[in-house]
Amino acid sequence: MVTLIVKDVAFGYASAPVLAGVSLEVGTKEIVAVLGPNGAGKSTLLKCIDRILHPQHGSILLDGEEISQMSRLELAKKIGYIPQSLAHAFSITVFDAVLMGRRPHISWRTSEEDTEKVLDTLKMLHIEDLAMRDINELSGGQMQQVFIARALVQEPDVLLLDEPTSNLDIRHQLEVMHTIKSIVRKHEISAIMAIHDLNLAARYADKIVLMNGGGILSVGNPATVITPENIRLVFKVDADVYEKEGKLHVVPLRAIVRATQG
Amino acid sequence: MTRNRSVSEKVTTSDEIRTYYKRFIARKLLFMALLIILIGLIAGVATTLGSYQISVTEVYTIIWHGLFHEPETTKELVVWNLRLPSIVMGILAGIGLAIAGTTMQSVVRNPLASPYTLGIASAAGFGAALAIILGRGFAAGQYLIIANAFIFAVLSAFIIYGLSRYRGATPETMILAGIALMYLFSAMTGILQYFGEQTAVAEVVFWMFGSLGRATWDKLLFVFIILAICIPLLMLKSWDLNTLSAGDESAKSLGVNVDQTRVLCFILASIMTAGVICFTGTIGFIGLVAPHMCRLVIGGDNRYLIPASGFLGAVILLAADTVARRILAPTILPVGLLTSFLGVPLFLYLILRRKREYW
Ligand SMILES: Nc1ncnc2c1ncn2[C@@H]1O[C@H](COP(=O)(O)OP(=O)(O)OP(=O)(O)O)[C@@H](O)[C@H]1O
Ligand SMILES: [Mg+2]
């Protein structure tokens, strides 16, 4: 059982406030997609939930426990996070990179069990053929799958994914989202992802959080949040939204011409 | 499900990965074993070199014998009191500088970092200059220069530590603070040299060219103790150092206390560097070249990279010192002059062969 409660969180960087009055509840087996234009505060929100940033106001509770009271290690056992931009300064094999996901559970020596977990995860994501490759010689999409594998090996209760499909081709987008969904259901965990693809969000998320200018504009199931009105309001785009075979489809029509400043 | 196999590596099943990974680890251990053997060989040959003729087999016999008995014959005295100290210093200094360099590269997340990147060499140089020119410092007699160099080097490390506690231990903070200190100490050394007596100034210059010739068994014991404390602690942190490579955010989400890891490893690397260079003067590029060459052979996992580059550092420094002693014999070049040249082929290699952008 997982419940993550974000209560009235506010956060600002030194230069400017970003998040204000953000509240959110995420339950077990739930996939939450955070949508919103560039700079809306999606990444900032995810970083606050993993305590990479410290909110100036409000509280974040995981299973009733305040995350600011937990140690870094406790938190790492419960929350896995994949940042938006991925890089490795030094070369290391993909296998070793994924094995790092076991860090919260062991301090130095890896066991057979850890190795097996890595192998299973590589297999699940169909990236076994990358195992012995140098992580710095991968394509953007391959790198993204490796980081996802690392977060899965970490076996957290909550997965935070910052645009997990941004570098993937359409087949891998579907595969990765499917894998995340089946893991969330099977292991009874939750996932929160920032994502730009409205169709993918509508198809895989149980709950949509629509952000705009550092606040939450609307929360609910895909059909109630992803509407032409909301898309127009937040993204300044005219779009058609229709349902076909039980799935929501968004077709952008045109960007609304920006009002020229007088 | 059909998938394209990658051309270079044909590992696709879990069994193949298991085998391949075991072989990969075996290769790293083999590499280290080879380096250790090489250290033994070079040390043996280096001990034979000099005006007094001693053969390689005699050297090994004398070393073995000397472990259990006091040296008595002339040959034994030459080996144990004249030749071995500088050779053992070469091994210890090579290990210390190379491991400090490896650590520093992970700490500031930059493969071009070295033990001296954050200004520790100029701090030690200033300490030595203060002792030589003004005769002021933290100890008396023959240990004045050494104590001064060591204390100023460690002091500069703690200033950087203090600043990063205040501003967050990011690579940027540390590098900026390090560069500022480097200029400060160089400028102060410059002032001392400007007003100093000519013979003293020459001595400062001579001190700064690193050399193994000043080693004695007392000093070696001190260096050994420092390494024996710092290296195991760094090994314990080696996996955490790996996570820094993925960026601070990823490292934090893996449960690593990033600031603490960075600061602790930086302090340990600084103490090791200070412990070495206070006896030898600055010996350049070992700490830069050794980790680079090791990474090419065994990859970037610090759990193996730290010991391997230590051994390679010892090999390089011993070899360089042997060359430095023979190249203009009977004049002995300070080894620090020679190792500085080692940086040139490394950078040429990086320019010509490097696979991706590093900076
Ligand atoms: N380190 C930082 N320092 C100062 N301001 C920042 C920093 N990071 C982000 N911001 C600002 O905070 C706001 C929210 O940024 P955030 O990265 O959360 O947006 P986002 O919704 O993830 O956008 P995107 O879709 O482009 O990833 C932006 O206005 C951005 O300029
Ligand atoms: Mg973002």
Side-chain angles (χ1 to χ4, degrees):
Chain A
M1 284 299 287
V2 192
T3 28
L4 180 80
I5 298 171
V6 177
K7 229 189 293 180
D8 196 25
V9 160
F11 177 84
Y13 294 99
S15 45
V18 174
L19 300 178
V22 173
S23 297
L24 178 65
E25 210 173 313
V26 183
T28 311
K29 297 203 238 178
E30 205 168 39
I31 296 183
V32 175
V34 182
L35 304 180
N38 293 134
K42 305 180 293 294
S43 301
T44 307
L45 175 61
L46 294 187
K47 286 179 198 173
C48 285
I49 297 176
D50 200 25
R51 222 180 69 200
I52 288 165
L53 300 173
H54 303 266
Q56 283 117 7
H57 184 263
S59 59
I60 298 171
L61 302 165
L62 181 57
D63 297 331
E65 203 181 338
E66 180 78 52
I67 64 155
S68 59
Q69 303 301 316
M70 295 185 196
S71 73
R72 192 75 252 172
L73 200 62
E74 266 177 274
L75 203 61
K77 285 180 187 157
K78 294 183 172 164
I79 301 182
Y81 166 73
I82 304 169
Q84 185 169 1
S85 52
L86 312 173
H88 252 270
F90 296 99
S91 291
I92 191 165
T93 62
V94 165
F95 188 94
D96 282 319
V98 176
L99 191 61
M100 276 184 203
R102 299 303 298 161
R103 168 63 180 76
H105 305 280
I106 47 173
S107 64
W108 203 79
R109 260 198 103 73
T110 52
S111 66
E112 277 301 306
E113 197 194 335
D114 299 311
T115 311
E116 292 309 311
K117 282 187 172 148
V118 172
L119 291 172
D120 290 347
T121 309
L122 293 176
K123 193 171 188 167
M124 189 161 55
L125 290 170
H126 313 295
I127 50 171
E128 288 161 298
D129 52 341
L130 302 179
M132 286 302 142
R133 295 272 299 273
D134 176 346
I135 193 162
N136 281 313
E137 292 175 3
L138 300 181
S139 75
Q142 290 168 333
M143 181 89 131
Q144 201 150 34
Q145 293 178 72
V146 170
F147 272 75
I148 291 170
R150 174 190 287 169
L152 294 179
V153 162
Q154 201 175 337
E155 298 183 325
D157 296 338
V158 179
L159 269 174
L160 303 174
L161 308 121
D162 203 339
E163 303 191 21
T165 56
S166 59
N167 288 314
L168 302 180
D169 64 43
I170 48 169
R171 180 203 170 87
H172 284 103
Q173 287 178 7
L174 297 179
E175 275 187 11
V176 160
M177 293 297 277
H178 181 81
T179 307
I180 292 170
K181 186 158 184 159
S182 59
I183 286 173
V184 165
R185 300 286 197 260
K186 190 166 144 225
H187 297 287
E188 312 201 340
I189 64 171
S190 352
I192 307 173
M193 60 178 76
I195 190 165
H196 280 302
D197 188 323
L198 302 180
N199 287 302
L200 219 49
R203 185 161 168 174
Y204 285 97
D206 305 302
K207 190 192 267 181
I208 304 280
V209 172
L210 185 60
M211 291 188 71
N212 195 18
I216 294 179
L217 187 85
S218 168
V219 183
N221 63 33
T224 54
V225 178
I226 302 181
T227 60
E229 296 74 39
N230 278 342
I231 293 175
R232 193 183 162 88
L233 185 68
V234 170
F235 293 102
K236 311 279 183 282
V237 163
D238 278 329
D240 258 354
V241 179
Y242 62 94
E243 213 176 298
K244 189 179 165 194
E245 295 168 9
K247 292 190 181 76
L248 217 56
H249 294 266
V250 180
V251 181
L253 301 174
R254 72 192 74 79
I256 297 167
V257 182
R258 289 170 202 251
T260 44
Q261 310 258 279
Chain B
M1 182 173 301
T2 56
R3 270 189 141 240
N4 278 339
R5 291 189 168 206
S6 83
V7 191
S8 57
E9 303 290 354
K10 294 209 170 50
V11 280
T12 41
T13 70
S14 295
D15 275 338
E16 281 171 315
I17 298 174
R18 260 185 222 110
T19 324
Y20 201 95
Y21 192 65
K22 286 208 178 95
R23 234 186 287 154
F24 183 48
I25 290 177
R27 197 170 84 202
K28 301 184 200 185
L29 297 176
L30 181 68
F31 179 64
M32 285 190 241
L34 286 176
L35 289 175
I36 293 173
I37 294 171
L38 210 53
I39 292 174
L41 289 179
I42 301 178
V45 173
T47 315
T48 64
L49 301 176
S51 49
Y52 195 90
Q53 291 294 321
I54 305 172
S55 75
V56 180
T57 43
E58 276 178 303
V59 163
Y60 287 120
T61 325
I62 290 172
I63 293 176
W64 178 250
H65 192 73
L67 291 177
F68 313 104
H69 305 90
E70 281 291 304
E72 283 160 8
T73 64
T74 320
K75 275 185 183 176
E76 285 174 345
L77 287 168
V78 167
V79 168
W80 275 93
N81 293 351
L82 292 180
R83 298 198 182 158
L84 272 185
S86 66
I87 284 164
V88 175
M89 183 60 100
I91 296 174
L92 294 181
I95 291 175
L97 292 175
I99 290 180
T102 313
T103 308
M104 219 58 115
Q105 294 179 353
S106 282
V107 163
V108 301
R109 210 187 294 124
N110 188 325
L112 290 181
S114 82
Y116 308 135
T117 301
L118 301 186
I120 199 167
S122 31
F126 173 72
L130 201 64
I132 296 169
I133 296 176
L134 296 185
R136 296 273 161 74
F138 294 95
Q142 56 157 333
Y143 287 103
L144 176 65
I145 300 174
I146 294 164
N148 253 22
F150 183 78
I151 287 168
F152 274 95
V154 172
L155 188 74
S156 86
F158 275 93
I159 294 175
I160 294 174
Y161 162 70
L163 284 170
S164 42
R165 276 199 62 120
Y166 175 63
R167 286 290 298 147
T170 64
E172 293 78 15
T173 316
M174 296 174 96
I175 289 174
L176 287 176
I179 291 176
L181 284 180
M182 186 176 78
Y183 279 112
L184 174 70
F185 283 117
S186 311
M188 294 200 303
T189 309
I191 288 179
L192 286 179
Q193 287 179 317
Y194 189 77
F195 292 108
E197 260 178 70
Q198 220 166 26
T199 47
V201 170
E203 205 188 324
V204 172
V205 172
F206 184 76
W207 186 90
M208 285 183 183
F209 296 137
S211 151
L212 303 176
R214 302 185 280 257
T216 63
W217 288 108
D218 297 348
K219 298 175 183 173
L220 289 169
L221 182 66
F222 182 81
V223 180
F224 179 80
I225 290 171
I226 286 189
L227 298 192
I229 293 170
C230 293
I231 294 174
L233 289 173
L234 282 174
M235 284 302 297
L236 275 179
K237 280 278 169 195
S238 56
W239 212 29
D240 287 358
L241 278 177
N242 285 352
T243 65
L244 295 186
S245 168
D248 287 6
E249 291 178 358
S250 290
K252 280 181 188 166
S253 72
L254 291 174
V256 175
N257 189 335
V258 170
D259 283 15
Q260 186 222 56
T261 300
R262 188 167 271 138
V263 161
L264 178 70
C265 292
F266 160 71
I267 294 284
L268 289 172
S270 297
I271 291 176
M272 275 206 296
T273 310
V276 169
I277 65 176
C278 70
F279 295 113
T280 62
T282 39
I283 298 175
F285 286 104
I286 301 288
L288 181 60
V289 174
H292 256 290
M293 286 171 61
C294 283
R295 261 192 216 102
L296 293 176
V297 182
I298 66 166
D301 185 346
N302 280 303
R303 288 176 295 173
Y304 299 91
L305 188 65
I306 287 177
S309 47
F311 296 136
L312 185 61
V315 168
I316 297 174
L317 187 51
L318 270 186
D321 189 52
T322 310
V323 173
R325 285 198 286 157
R326 299 301 290 168
I327 197 166
L328 293 178
T331 308
I332 295 175
L333 273 184
V335 66
L337 277 184
L338 202 81
T339 57
S340 298
F341 283 108
L342 283 178
V344 179
L346 172 78
F347 280 99
L348 281 181
Y349 175 87
L350 288 179
I351 291 165
L352 297 175
R353 291 286 313 277
R354 100 193 125 104
K355 283 179 278 190
R356 60 196 191 89
E357 302 295 326
Y358 271 127
W359 56 89

